[in-house]
Amino acid sequence: MKIDIVTVHPDLLSSYFNHSILKRAQEKSLVQIELINLRDYSTNKQKSVDDYAYGGGAGMVMQAEPIANCIDTLQKNTKYDEIIYMCPDGELLNQPTLNNFSLKKNLLILCGHYKGVDQRIRDTYITKEISIGDYVLSGGEIPAAALADGIIRLLPGVLNDETSALFDSFQDDLLAPPVYTRPENWRGNTVPEILLSGNEKAINDWRHEKSVELTKEKRPNLLNSK
Ligand code: SAH
């Protein structure tokens, strides 16, 4: 899989993608991540990519031409399955959407800034608009990192135990059960005995029970969504 991310702050993202699981996924060639600096496609010497909003009001708007130049150039080499714009008014990101994206070959993610991008870019190029929540951040970099991270960890071979992503919260409309590690007795709090029993079936049953219990308690809407 290839994920290209267009941003005015590639340095903000490079550190995130060069650590831990995401770094290893690239080293193993399971994913190729390219950070593209939108300023390289600026139409002026100052390398600016924004301008005042028509109609007035506070805040700058990202201009259409640099983004169009950038995407046109990238599309010469890559046929994208989706061109995604991160924005608060997009479709709310959830696990099924991540599962779906993880089956694609080439994704382009556009990070906005300021008041967002000129609407004509959204109308012309964008095939999916994704929000990471009903709140507003100052830029699309954290949303893009969240999206890419959520996709990459689903790719076969990225997680050490390949099945582990299947048991994460939301994969089956259930929250994940509680987890414990050594020591067995931590400041007088002990690990549930069943987890030490070695009885795989009993452990799986317990985990499922706990998942259902937790979901009922914390997110009953997930159970009702069926
Ligand atoms: N004026 C816009 C917000 C712009 S925030 C509005 O009210 O909808 C600046 C940029 O940050 C956006 O273009 C987008 O790329 C990113 N962003 C902010 N919050 C986001 C969210 N919840 N989900 C996805 N992207 C977000």
Side-chain angles (χ1 to χ4, degrees):
M1 171 181 261
K2 188 166 181 282
I3 303 180
D4 290 342
I5 305 179
V6 175
T7 165
V8 284
H9 293 303
D11 42 327
L12 266 184
L13 283 169
S14 65
S15 153
Y16 188 74
F17 289 116
N18 280 313
H19 283 92
S20 184
I21 291 173
L22 302 185
K23 182 179 181 194
R24 257 178 282 132
Q26 292 170 86
E27 284 168 354
K28 288 200 257 171
S29 300
L30 300 170
V31 66
Q32 192 189 333
I33 299 168
E34 191 108 21
L35 303 174
I36 297 114
N37 192 340
L38 183 61
R39 290 191 196 283
D40 292 343
Y41 296 86
S42 165
T43 52
N44 58 45
K45 270 198 197 131
Q46 298 74 40
K47 300 256 176 222
S48 75
V49 292
D50 59 306
D51 210 331
Y52 293 101
Y54 274 122
M60 305 298 276
V61 175
M62 290 175 74
Q63 291 176 291
E65 191 58 17
I67 299 172
N69 280 341
C70 176
I71 299 179
D72 288 345
T73 305
L74 295 172
Q75 277 182 321
K76 283 187 187 138
N77 292 321
T78 309
K79 189 177 172 340
Y80 293 104
D81 299 295
E82 300 283 4
I83 300 182
I84 305 162
Y85 175 49
M86 306 309 301
C87 52
D89 56 346
E91 175 187 322
L92 264 185
L93 185 59
N94 58 22
Q95 197 59 48
T97 305
L98 288 174
N99 294 349
N100 191 272
F101 281 143
S102 76
L103 304 173
K104 309 285 185 192
K105 216 167 147 259
N106 297 307
L107 298 174
L108 177 65
I109 305 176
L110 172 63
C111 303
H113 255 277
Y114 321 112
K115 296 293 285 178
V117 305
D118 189 303
Q119 181 61 35
R120 291 166 290 184
I121 285 295
R122 298 172 73 164
D123 297 341
T124 312
Y125 285 94
I126 302 300
T127 61
K128 275 255 189 265
E129 298 188 330
I130 298 287
S131 162
I132 61 160
D134 288 344
Y135 45 82
V136 176
L137 303 177
S138 54
E141 283 72 23
I142 286 175
L147 175 64
D149 181 317
I151 294 169
I152 294 164
R153 67 192 294 286
L154 296 173
L155 302 177
V158 169
L159 297 185
N160 289 335
D161 172 359
E162 278 201 29
T163 59
S164 78
L166 297 177
F167 296 103
D168 284 331
S169 294
F170 307 111
Q171 277 299 5
D172 48 6
D173 288 335
L174 289 176
L175 300 179
V179 291
Y180 300 86
T181 186
R182 287 184 288 187
E184 209 176 300
N185 183 331
W186 174 74
R187 299 187 179 183
N189 300 290
T190 52
V191 171
E193 208 141 302
I194 188 118
L195 296 178
L196 312 173
S197 69
N199 181 337
E200 201 181 330
K201 164 136 192 4
I203 291 172
N204 285 340
D205 287 349
W206 179 87
R207 285 185 170 150
H208 183 73
E209 225 173 85
K210 284 284 164 197
S211 277
V212 174
E213 226 172 77
L214 274 177
T215 312
K216 271 188 192 157
E217 184 189 315
K218 293 183 173 176
R219 295 292 303 274
N221 62 311
L222 293 176
L223 296 170
N224 299 336
S225 69
K226 283 195 166 167

